[in-house]
Amino acid sequence: MVLAALLSGGAPSQQSADYIGSHVWPEEAHGSGGFSALEIDEDGRGFVTISDRARIVDGRLLRDEAGRITGVEILRSEPLRSGREGIMTGHLADSEGLAIGADGRRWISFEGKARVRSETGPRGPEVLPRPQAFPQMQFNSALEALAIDAEGALYTMPERSGRLDRPFPVYRWKDGQWTIPFSIPRRGAFLVTGADFGPDGNLYVLERDFAGIGFRSRVRRFAPDGTGEEVLLETGLGVHDNLEGLSVWRDDLGRIRLTMISDDNFRFFQTTELVEYAVED
């Protein structure tokens, strides 16, 4: 069992997460890398992931009788496209966050040119209006996380807040406009990498800290209005690779399952890793 560590200031409540297992997805099997977001089906097997070089992958997770991941099967892998730009390249192609609505529509957030767009829909890809704050975000630190609630509202967060003592703003797209309904505290050196609304209606946020020789990971849980902060998981240095994508679902035992995927940064000494923990409601 991994116990959440106490953090200084604000004293969020603590829960504990049970480690289920990890599976390394080798480069020769996926032919890509840089996976930065993840969505898992309700059965815990179907998945969608995106690379931060504008590639989207649909597949199936193979599991043993205990529910641990044992393999990955790719069903489809293709580049993200735009009517005007064709296949995305350069600063337009830094796809980081993924959220799938109840209607199956896929939404993606981008970091290079900060924006949110749908990949599917009745009229194909649709880019949402960009508020003034998006172009002003730090370079390579923009819209890292994207989540969608049960009512279809989109929530996105930048990787960095701009200052160590400044909370992370949460931008919400609802009723045709962007607002900031709340912010979440910035604690320590951790930066936002992923987010998802769980089947319990709560907002789960994945964070990462790079300490020069490896990564630490943290998962916090918030009520839908940003209150009730809980630290569910905080790993030691080097326990996992660069975890950036998070999907939250309920397994056959009724537990909340946290499934995460790592971004290997297209470097030979890093890996694409699928990691799972379980927490009680």
Side-chain angles (χ1 to χ4, degrees):
M1 177 176 289
V2 177
L3 295 180
L6 274 174
L7 301 176
S8 61
S13 66
Q14 297 179 82
Q15 295 286 341
S16 61
D18 292 314
Y19 175 65
I20 294 175
S22 302
H23 175 79
V24 173
W25 190 14
E27 181 182 357
E28 57 268 24
H30 56 68
S32 184
F35 295 111
S36 299
L38 181 68
E39 286 290 324
I40 302 287
D41 288 352
E42 291 182 357
D43 65 359
R45 297 181 182 273
F47 76 90
V48 183
T49 184
I50 58 170
S51 165
D52 58 18
R53 294 188 182 175
R55 175 164 289 273
I56 189 164
V57 177
D58 290 67
R60 297 281 293 174
L61 299 176
L62 308 179
R63 297 182 179 273
D64 62 17
E65 292 183 357
R68 295 183 294 261
I69 299 173
T70 59
V72 183
E73 180 182 84
I74 293 178
L75 302 179
R76 184 179 67 173
S77 177
E78 60 186 24
L80 298 175
R81 299 177 183 272
S82 172
R84 291 180 301 170
E85 301 143 3
I87 295 176
M88 293 182 187
T89 58
H91 74 289
L92 297 176
D94 195 356
S95 45
E96 294 285 350
L98 173 68
I100 303 178
D103 59 357
R105 196 171 190 185
R106 299 176 177 185
W107 295 92
I108 299 170
S109 64
F110 293 81
E111 189 172 49
K113 180 181 179 181
R115 67 200 191 280
V116 175
R117 61 165 263 181
S118 67
E119 178 61 16
T120 53
R123 294 177 298 278
E126 173 192 355
V127 180
L128 297 181
R130 299 172 72 212
Q132 185 177 0
F134 284 10
Q136 297 175 351
M137 290 178 177
Q138 289 178 252
F139 175 74
N140 198 35
S141 299
L143 302 179
E144 189 80 18
L146 185 67
I148 190 167
D149 67 14
E151 297 178 351
L154 291 165
Y155 295 72
T156 187
M157 284 168 274
E159 179 179 358
R160 297 177 183 269
S161 62
R163 284 204 316 259
L164 290 174
D165 59 350
R166 178 183 295 166
F168 295 104
V170 178
Y171 295 89
R172 180 176 65 191
W173 174 260
K174 183 178 181 181
D175 298 329
Q177 63 178 346
W178 287 105
T179 59
I180 303 178
F182 58 88
S183 298
I184 62 173
R186 181 167 175 170
R187 301 192 183 279
F190 285 92
L191 301 175
V192 170
T193 62
D196 195 20
F197 278 94
D200 55 2
N202 291 317
L203 176 64
Y204 292 74
V205 179
L206 171 64
E207 298 168 296
R208 170 223 28 231
D209 173 33
F210 177 62
I213 58 173
F215 299 91
R216 295 190 299 151
S217 299
R218 182 172 71 192
V219 177
R220 289 189 286 169
R221 177 167 61 188
F222 299 86
D225 61 357
T227 61
E229 177 187 4
E230 298 174 284
V231 178
L232 302 179
L233 167 70
E234 186 173 320
T235 71
L237 183 64
V239 173
H240 301 300
D241 209 296
N242 177 28
L243 298 180
E244 287 204 5
L246 168 68
S247 185
V248 183
W249 52 286
R250 193 178 300 280
D251 64 19
D252 291 341
L253 298 178
R255 301 173 300 177
I256 294 291
R257 185 81 68 104
L258 310 174
T259 304
M260 294 163 279
I261 192 168
S262 67
D263 175 356
D264 66 0
N265 292 305
F266 297 92
R267 293 173 176 165
F268 73 92
F269 54 85
Q270 290 185 249
T271 62
T272 298
E273 183 184 14
L274 289 154
V275 178
E276 291 193 306
Y277 286 81
V279 295
E280 302 292 340
D281 286 286

